Amino acid sequence: MGQPLSSITIVGGGTAGWLAAVYLRRACAERIRITLIESPNIPTVGVGEATVPQMPFTLRQIGLDERTFFRRCDATFKTGVMFRNWNTDRSGKLVSYLNPFSNAPSLDGVSIGNHFHAFGAGKRDYVSCYSPYAHMAKAFKGPFSFKDPKADPMPKPAYAYHLNAVAFAKLLAEVGTERGIEHILDDVDDVELDERGYVAALQLRERGRHPVELVIDCTGFRGRIIREALDEPFEDYSDYLGNDRAMALQIPHTNPEKLPPFTSSTALGAGWSWSVPLFNRVGTGYVFSSAHRTDDEARDEFLAHLGAAAPPGSEPRVIPMRIGRSRRAWVKNCIAMGLSGGFIEPLESTAIHMIDQSIRMLLFNMPSTDYEAPVRRRFNRLVDDLYGEVRDFICMHYRMGNREDSAYWIDARTELKITDRLAENLELWQYQLPTQHDLESAQLFTHDTYQTVLFGKRCYENGYGAERLNTPREVRAGSWKAYLRDADIRFAKIVDYKGDHHRLLMALRGKLEPGAARKTPAVVAARTGSCLKETPVLF
């Protein structure tokens, strides 16, 4: 039996490295020395990043005050993702839908999706039938309010953030060094392996030999340790996901006081354009397939899409993307996190979430200095499940598209592979709606989420399943009509109660105009004020 770990070395900074460092420092108390080695010669890339609803919980766990986070990271609230123009309705008109951070309820013991399919909902789309976020989005409302939190008709909102990733990494670095993380600015010139092929030490350009026990590789796409030193194969996902290029640009808000509380994904001719509304600017870009557009063609299409929103002379930065992952995330005494572990196109804002989950998986599978094989296998299986879940969900967006106006969308639907499991589910869902029994992994994307996408894309209106969908006996028109009447009343109350997104953010930044009612959103103040006091050491 090996000895307990006494040190963990993280190679690479950025969000991956510093989130891992701060999380481990918080969770492991003082038992383990945490060192982060970061090259001073690698420039940072300033982008807007979106997250998923686990992120507020993560901030509380690492003891990071939410108000400080909002001010320092140019952050805004996110309550879902708006998909624009990915599909057409039965008349050929392009459609949009919100995929919100809320689940559909049951009615008479079955999902309301069955009622919606059987009876429709007038002019309402599916999401508007169950999620107040669809209504709040139209009114630019955030998840909290300036009113009495005891009267909140939606007291526990699910939300995530839009954030400046460079600013977030810088904040984490400050917090980490204050908490005793050793920060070394130096380049790794060589990786020394022992007789077993384990990483024994790193040769640093200025400091010389740095011995390691467990090393976490956060060196980006290069994979300086996991791939270059340990020669772990790369599992290519390009047969499943065809986009391999991106271009990014920062643009000003068209109306700074109307901040969307959601990320947008708009389908273009050879991919899709993201829009991440930060407080002071918008992070936007185009994810596309080089098989269908040259960089110049994609740039012209992207700028035409932005129109007057793009400043004169804008020149988007082109970013090659390598879609896939290391075959194993944990090899010997090295664990890859962030881009060195893998990358799936950012359609569902999963990059930070996958770093977050990898850290949690490590904490639940912490080895001794023997780096036990069963512990490594369990960690790698969990990572496999997570990557498979995200890949399948994103593949479904393309496979269930129905646009016929470009070769890209036809190829995405007909030429890209999907896994046997997804193929089996898509065949099943022609006859019945997704259920909790259908998915092997649902850490992030549940059967409710799949159901929302199928309805949002108008799949059942366009011949997918059509009249063959099995309808449970519990589905009753009277119950459905009563539910819709109650939902309309409830959602109107929620929209009226919740605060304007921009004003909520101004209050969190301490910049509300004089005389404004309640200078801090009550619920947010309660959550953030107690963050540091109530976060325990987990391990």
Side-chain angles (χ1 to χ4, degrees), residues 9 35 37 182 184 200-204 207-212:
T9 299
T35 301
I37 301 171
E182 182 183 11
I184 298 175
L202 306 171
Q203 187 65 36
L204 306 184
R207 292 201 178 198
R209 189 176 186 272
H210 176 87
V212 302

Side-chain angles (χ1 to χ4, degrees), residues 501-536:
H501 188 202
H502 181 262
R503 292 189 72 247
L504 289 174
L505 297 171
M506 289 289 286
L508 286 168
R509 299 166 74 90
K511 293 184 178 181
L512 262 187
E513 65 275 10
R518 295 192 70 93
K519 293 202 172 184
T520 305
V523 179
V524 178
R527 290 168 61 94
T528 58
S530 62
C531 176
L532 285 170
K533 298 177 183 177
E534 296 183 358
T535 304

Side-chain angles (χ1 to χ4, degrees), residues 128-323:
S128 297
C129 294
Y130 78 82
S131 177
Y133 286 135
H135 306 268
M136 291 163 58
K138 295 176 182 177
F140 297 94
K141 294 295 186 79
F144 296 107
S145 177
F146 296 96
K147 302 175 184 177
D148 181 2
K150 295 180 181 178
D152 193 339
M154 189 177 70
K156 295 182 178 180
Y159 65 94
Y161 310 110
H162 305 115
L163 59 90
N164 179 320
V166 172
F168 184 47
K170 183 178 180 181
L171 175 60
L172 289 172
E174 292 177 13
V175 170
T177 52
E178 288 172 1
R179 295 179 185 177
I181 294 168
E182 182 183 11
H183 183 200
I184 298 175
L185 283 171
D186 208 340
D187 288 291
V188 176
D189 282 340
D190 194 20
V191 178
E192 176 188 329
L193 305 182
D194 65 17
E195 66 281 357
R196 302 171 300 164
Y198 283 60
V199 179
L202 306 171
Q203 187 65 36
L204 306 184
R205 186 168 302 169
E206 300 296 331
R207 292 201 178 198
R209 189 176 186 272
H210 176 87
V212 302
E213 288 185 346
L214 182 68
V215 60
I216 298 178
D217 184 345
C218 296
T219 60
F221 284 120
R222 180 183 181 187
R224 177 67 179 86
I225 304 172
I226 195 76
R227 281 198 285 280
E228 292 187 359
L230 296 180
D231 200 28
E232 180 65 11
F234 181 80
E235 187 175 324
D236 194 331
Y237 282 3
S238 60
D239 287 345
Y240 296 89
L241 298 166
N243 296 329
D244 59 352
R245 305 282 280 179
M247 52 183 56
L249 188 65
Q250 300 174 10
I251 63 175
H253 288 287
T254 55
N255 185 345
E257 295 188 0
K258 294 292 185 182
L259 291 180
F262 52 81
T263 307
S264 292
S265 169
T266 303
L268 299 181
W272 54 274
S273 173
W274 76 82
S275 178
V276 175
L278 303 181
F279 185 77
N280 287 311
R281 60 173 171 83
V282 177
T284 186
Y286 186 13
V287 174
F288 65 98
S289 162
S290 64
H292 297 83
R293 293 286 188 277
T294 66
D295 288 352
D296 288 344
E297 290 170 340
R299 180 198 61 220
D300 293 345
E301 183 180 19
F302 177 45
L303 292 177
H305 162 67
L306 294 178
S314 293
E315 189 62 37
R317 182 179 67 256
V318 177
I319 306 167
M321 300 190 306
R322 191 181 189 192
I323 307 300

